[in-house]
Amino acid sequence: MASIRTLHILNKTPDHPRFNRCLASLGSEDALLLTEDGVLAAASDRFTGFAGPVYALRADLEARAVEVAGGTLSPVDFEGMVKLTTEAEQIISW
Amino acid sequence: MSTLIIIDSAPYGDWSGREGLDMAFSLAAFDQSVTLLFIGAGVNWLRKGQSPEGISQKSVEKNLSAAPIFGVEALLADGRDCQTYGLTEDELIASVSQVELGPELLNQYKHTVFAG
Amino acid sequence: MTDQTLPERNNEGFLEDAHTWTPDIAIVIAAEDNLDLSERHWEIIEFLRDFYNKHEVSPPSNRLFVKAVRESMGEEKGNSIYLMQLFPGTPAKTACRIAGLPRPTNCL
């Protein structure tokens, strides 16, 4: 069932020190979920070094009027977020 | 299910680290396995001899000494960050183990949560 | 001692400053809860005073209050029935109020 090694939940803006710390610790079987201020990274290309799946909470994107550039990132609703947490062996909340 | 709570902000400047401590105590209250890790400026929580009476705050050093009584499993500190802040083994409060923050450490915990 | 002469307290009857506490104050606050303090009460009150001096924090919840008493005095006194009989209602709150400690943070 667990198809994600570690789910990284990131709620910090790209200029927060924890943002880069999180990016640096992404492994090849990991997934990244952007929430709250973290979705502002979707407005730029701040996580392009990571080949794994990147998700962003739709409500947080819409709240901030952040448009998702096609292909790089999948918006998820709250249900989708819960599903991701159940699919991960381990979760890190940054 | 084990949880690692990471405090990366210095004591006394804001409340975010104290929220992490409350979280750890709450998990321990329900007998959940919980460990506290101090990294970055957070290692300054662990300096011996704090007396914050003059700034009208409670001593986080004394607060932390209740952690083992409440059932927090371990107090850990990133060794490199201790060095950065000039914290030698002698200057650290007792009961702290120095570790290296990396995948090997994080893999031991089902949940890792940063405070604040 | 009348209520007029008690040190400053908050709206739930907790002392604003734990250092203003005296045993006489404990007797007055306990009487508000219709409690007559026995040796068994005083033992727990002294434990809490000592705990606060060492840790500068009240046991945040009932469960942690029980845990802390158990660590110090063993199962016989560190159990919720014993502490609930001594300090009815929410034991951590009642006991901390009488012992002059701040309100436990996680006690609803």
Side-chain angles (χ1 to χ4, degrees):
Chain A
M1 170 68 186
S3 54
I4 301 169
R5 174 71 194 93
T6 302
L7 176 67
H8 298 260
I9 303 178
L10 178 58
N11 68 348
K12 301 290 182 288
T13 57
D15 49 19
H16 193 285
R18 256 183 242 160
F19 189 90
N20 284 326
R21 210 192 252 275
C22 169
L23 291 198
S25 65
L26 292 171
S28 58
E29 295 165 82
D30 294 355
L32 175 63
L33 169 63
L34 305 171
T35 66
E36 301 174 46
D37 287 350
V39 303
L40 295 172
S44 58
D45 277 332
R46 300 295 281 270
F47 47 86
T48 44
F50 177 54
V54 181
Y55 305 92
L57 197 57
R58 184 176 285 120
D60 284 325
L61 287 166
E62 288 173 355
R64 293 162 181 79
V66 175
E67 299 280 348
V68 175
T72 56
L73 182 149
S74 320
V76 290
D77 54 17
F78 287 107
E79 210 174 301
M81 176 164 100
V82 172
K83 190 156 172 288
L84 284 173
T85 63
T86 63
E87 286 172 358
E89 283 173 42
Q90 181 190 33
I91 297 169
I92 301 179
S93 302
W94 294 90
Chain B
M1 197 184 72
S2 56
T3 302
L4 179 70
I5 295 176
I6 303 183
I7 292 178
D8 67 353
S9 56
Y12 307 114
D14 64 39
W15 295 101
S16 59
R18 286 190 190 268
E19 286 169 14
L21 194 61
D22 285 346
M23 208 191 308
F25 287 176
S26 299
L27 283 166
F30 289 92
D31 299 317
Q32 301 295 303
S33 160
V34 60
T35 293
L36 276 165
L37 168 65
F38 296 83
I39 67 167
V43 296
N44 292 291
W45 277 64
L46 308 173
R47 199 181 296 274
K48 253 193 276 190
Q50 301 169 37
S51 1
E53 300 78 26
I55 55 169
S56 304
Q57 291 203 45
K58 304 294 181 206
S59 161
V60 300
E61 179 186 4
K62 290 186 175 173
N63 294 165
L64 271 178
S65 68
I69 296 168
F70 291 152
V72 174
E73 285 187 356
L75 302 179
L76 309 178
D78 185 296
R80 217 169 350 157
D81 292 332
C82 288
Q83 252 181 6
T84 304
Y85 283 94
L87 276 163
T88 62
E89 192 101 35
D90 292 347
E91 289 162 324
L92 283 175
I93 57 178
S95 72
V96 173
S97 308
Q98 296 192 47
V99 295
E100 191 189 331
L101 176 59
E104 265 166 67
L105 180 71
L106 295 180
N107 283 341
Q108 296 172 32
Y109 303 93
K110 170 89 172 144
H111 289 286
T112 298
V113 185
F114 278 78
Chain C
M1 191 180 307
T2 66
D3 198 42
Q4 311 293 313
T5 60
L6 282 182
E8 201 184 340
R9 294 198 288 164
N10 72 10
N11 60 347
E12 290 183 273
F14 290 84
L15 292 186
E16 290 288 359
D17 179 357
H19 297 107
T20 58
W21 183 88
T22 64
D24 285 341
I25 289 170
I27 293 168
V28 175
I29 297 177
E32 294 172 355
D33 287 328
N34 298 314
L35 285 177
D36 209 355
L37 297 179
S38 68
E39 281 304 312
R40 297 194 305 162
H41 291 99
W42 285 112
E43 184 183 38
I44 301 296
I45 292 167
E46 274 159 31
F47 163 77
L48 280 175
R49 294 296 305 174
D50 185 51
F51 186 92
Y52 190 74
N53 279 332
K54 279 190 193 132
H55 306 301
E56 292 193 348
V57 65
S58 298
S61 62
N62 276 325
R63 296 180 73 103
L64 291 174
F65 174 42
V66 172
K67 228 172 183 174
V69 173
R70 192 190 305 137
E71 282 277 319
S72 166
M73 301 177 192
E75 290 279 349
E76 192 200 330
K77 287 165 184 167
N79 71 76
S80 55
I81 293 174
Y82 179 82
L83 293 170
M84 208 172 281
Q85 281 167 344
L86 287 181
F87 301 99
T90 309
K93 271 176 82 172
T94 307
C96 285
R97 191 190 299 115
I98 294 169
L101 272 58
R103 183 190 189 284
T105 47
N106 294 343
C107 275
L108 302 174

